[in-house]
Every structure is written in C-alpha cells, then in structure tokens.
Amino acid sequence: MTSTLTSPLTLPASLTAARRVDPTAEGWGFDTHHAVATPAGDTYVVSGAGRYRWDAAAATDPAEHNFRCQLITRHGPDGRPVAVALYGQPRPDGTPSAIEEGTEPTLAVLPDGTVALSSKPGTTHLLSADLSRVLASWRMPWGWEEEKDRNGDPYAASITVTPSGRLLCVTSEYGLSNVAGAHPNIVALSEPGEPLTPGSRATLRALATHDARTDRQTDADLYAHVRFGGAPVGRDHRPSPSLTEIVSRDSRRASEYHDCTLGRPAALGDDLFVVPVFGRLHRSGNRGQVFTFALLDDRGAVRGRLEGLHRYDDSPFTGFCFTVVGDPYRARAFHLNRFGLYAWSADGRLRSRMSTEDKPYKALTHFTLLEATPAGELLLAHRKQHLLLRVPVPEDLDGLAAAVEAALKSYARGRTAWKKEYAPVNWHWVDGSARVHHL
C-alpha cells in the first residue's frame, strides 16, 4: 500500500517514447513549478520538461532534436495521475499548441472547478477540470515587437483564490522606470461574486503598486479590467504610496530596496494577504539582502509584516527560495528556505521555526514549498527525486514541528512503495495510465 502523503511527479510515457528521453543523459531536465489542490483532494501540478544538446541540430531523426514543453498533471486523492495536459510544443499532428510555454507558471482552481493557468508577464488560460480543453485565453505576449504593437489582451500573471471565491492577482505593466518589457507591478483583488469565466472576465481592483515610477506610460499601457477609483490603473492614477516606498521606511538605507522585486502574494483569508518584496538580485553575494513579507488588507492598507526572520540567518536568497504560501481557511502563512521552515499566524507572529541545522529537519533543504491545500496541508516537492510530499498541519501550530518530523519520516516509506510500482530511472517516474491531452 503506497503512502497518501507521498506521490510521484510523473512524466507521460508517450512523451518519453516520442522524444526518446534518456533521464540519465546530459542536457535533460524536469522541474516542478507549482501545485494546487481541490477541496475533494485532487491535486494539479504544473511542470516543465526539456532536453538541450549542442549537437542535436545535426540529428537526422526529429525525435532526437532539442525540445521544451510544459505539462499539467491531475492526481487523484490516492496520489496517482489520472490526466495530463501537454502544451508549449506542437501537437502530434504538427499543429501548434493552443498554449505557449510560460514563464513561472502557476495554477488556481476556480470556484466552478475550472483550472486557471497563469504565467508572466500576464497571460491566463482557463482549462476544463479534466484538462481536455482550453476554454479561454487572455495573452500578454512578450518581446520587442510585441511591446511596440501592444496587441495582447492580458489578465493576470498570478491568481490565488480566497475561500469566498475572490481572486487575488498580480498584473503586469509596461513603461516602468527605465526598464523594457512588462513586469509584475499591481496587487489586485476581484469583488465578491465576480467570476472569471470564458464569457466574463472579473474586474480587478488595485490594492497596491510595487513601483510607482511610471513617467513613460501612455494610454496604451492601461487595461480596462485593472481599476483604481473607478478608472483603469495607469501613470499617476494608482494606489499610493508604493510598496517599495512603504518597505523602505523601515530599512537602514532607503536605497536598499531600489529596483526591488515583487513576489507572489498569498491569501490569509478573504481580506488579508501576504505580499513579499525582495531586494535587488546581484550577480553574487545575495545572502543578507533585504526582504519584507508585508501584510496587506483588502482595502490596500499595510497592516504589518510577518515578523521574526533574520535577513542573513534566515535569508531566502540562498537557493532563491522566494515562495510564501497562505492557508486562507485557517489564517496562516508558511515559508521554506535553505535555513528552515517557518509558520506565522495572521497577526504576523512567528509561531514555529524548524531549523535545517537540526537533524530531524535537514531533509527540508531538498524540498521546495509549492502551496497550502484547503485541507490544511503543505505541498512540498523533492527537487531531485521528483516526489510530492503532503505535510498535515495541526490546528495548533505549536505541534507543527512534530508533524513535519513525522511527515519526513513517512517520506522514505512512501518513496520505497512507489519505487516498487514505477521502477524509476534516475528518479524519473514514467506513467502510462493517465490520459494525455495535447492542448
């Protein structure tokens, strides 16, 4: 009997066969980007796979060529894959995919069961729950020509669903500061009862601006669905002061947050959110760089921050661990980086810290935190062994350390059970049972 806390992050057998994938070869890669669970216990996982070899262009067999694709896998409550959507590469008949490969893709399950796939700078696709169909698409193309033409019709770079069905989003803007391209810049929220469906695009009310340096913006940079004070966000018409200005007030030097970046917000409820802000990345020596996990309410007011982290000893910059997840049903926030796993209550108090220097938690350094589930679990992915681990979080966060220790111990047992079933090669789990849809 396999463990329900552990499940394999699988590759479709049809893909590995068609592309003649050798999981042990140089140039092959498989990465998990994000996961989200439904109240019924199903889990959707978005991943990327690809191969690059410098001599591949000389191959006479197309199956030996370089390729990249992304896939969404639906797992049942028992952890087994039941459906896969492949996209970002031509379909078997040679026609182009309906969905282009996205940057930093994330998932959300909408109240009607529809799956929303979002990626930077601001593209959103709606998929049927069984992953067989693309229901709607709002694209934000990127590139020099696209920036000049502005022929996109974007929605959001990221969507998170609150318990009442509101959409917590990040949207991108052109014309920021002196940088080219569109960048995530607005934290926005839909109003109660406004759905995102193929025929109805929910209006988003801007709560916060990350960077207010918008002197270069024109009317072409305004989008009707992102509004503030009843009008589209653009130029000086936006929430003020900016998040950059707010977090800089508590910094030793205001310049420390110059050209900082906006992380993906997490919901702690219907009206309270965590908005991560990270200092500028340098080519080396980022540990100790500034960061803030700000608490923002549904009116756009900053209500504090997640406390208790040391900018060097608990730095998220080592390994680039920039994910903060929220459990909006229980008003909690979580963060995992190379130095520990952390949990907060909605008032910003650090309630639990598990150091990876302590033996029971050393294994956490191999995992990436993906999301929190409606059932109150944390979803963690092992970066090398490609297994998903569910960590049940107790009602009392004082018991979280013991729960994490127990889940890590169960991981080895679950891994052994799945190995007997799948016989993975180089920790790649190839599955031929799930139905594959080429979108």
Side-chain angles (χ1 to χ4, degrees), residues 382-395:
H382 197 290
R383 290 186 297 277
K384 292 184 178 180
Q385 296 178 354
H386 305 300
L387 285 161
L388 188 72
L389 175 65
R390 310 174 88 95
V391 179
V393 178
E395 289 298 323

Side-chain angles (χ1 to χ4, degrees), residues 314-327:
D314 302 302
S315 176
F317 288 87
T318 299
F320 303 128
C321 303
F322 297 137
T323 299
V324 178
V325 305
D327 179 350

Side-chain angles (χ1 to χ4, degrees), residues 179-262:
V179 296
H183 299 272
N185 199 53
I186 300 294
V187 180
L189 184 69
S190 69
E191 299 299 347
E194 283 207 35
L196 178 63
T197 66
S200 176
R201 184 165 59 170
T203 300
L204 302 175
R205 175 169 50 85
L207 302 181
T209 298
H210 172 238
D211 187 345
R213 296 172 295 176
T214 56
D215 294 341
R216 296 192 298 114
Q217 287 192 339
T218 67
D219 287 347
D221 300 309
L222 279 61
Y223 298 107
H225 71 288
V226 185
R227 307 180 73 82
F228 177 70
V233 170
R235 294 186 287 270
D236 293 336
H237 182 70
R238 61 185 57 248
S240 181
S242 68
L243 286 171
T244 301
E245 294 171 307
I246 292 172
V247 299
S248 295
R249 294 170 183 169
D250 296 330
S251 181
R252 292 178 298 188
R253 298 186 304 275
S255 61
E256 288 185 312
Y257 279 99
H258 180 72
D259 288 341
C260 57
T261 58
L262 177 66

Side-chain angles (χ1 to χ4, degrees), residues 12-80:
S14 59
L15 173 67
T16 59
R19 294 292 187 172
R20 297 183 186 170
V21 170
D22 178 1
T24 65
E26 292 291 331
W28 163 255
F30 177 60
D31 301 295
T32 298
H33 299 297
H34 186 235
V36 65
T38 70
D42 287 350
T43 305
Y44 294 90
V45 181
V46 58
S47 309
R51 178 180 60 214
Y52 178 81
R53 298 195 305 259
W54 67 271
D55 58 346
T60 57
D61 188 339
E64 298 291 343
H65 289 172
N66 295 328
F67 77 97
R68 283 286 308 171
C69 69
Q70 291 178 328
L71 56 154
I72 302 171
T73 305
R74 179 177 180 173
H75 298 259
D78 63 354
R80 286 179 169 78

Side-chain angles (χ1 to χ4, degrees), residues 340-355:
L341 175 63
Y342 313 85
W344 293 266
S345 51
D347 58 4
R349 287 188 302 131
L350 181 63
R351 292 289 310 278
S352 185
R353 179 185 187 274
M354 287 134 280
S355 172

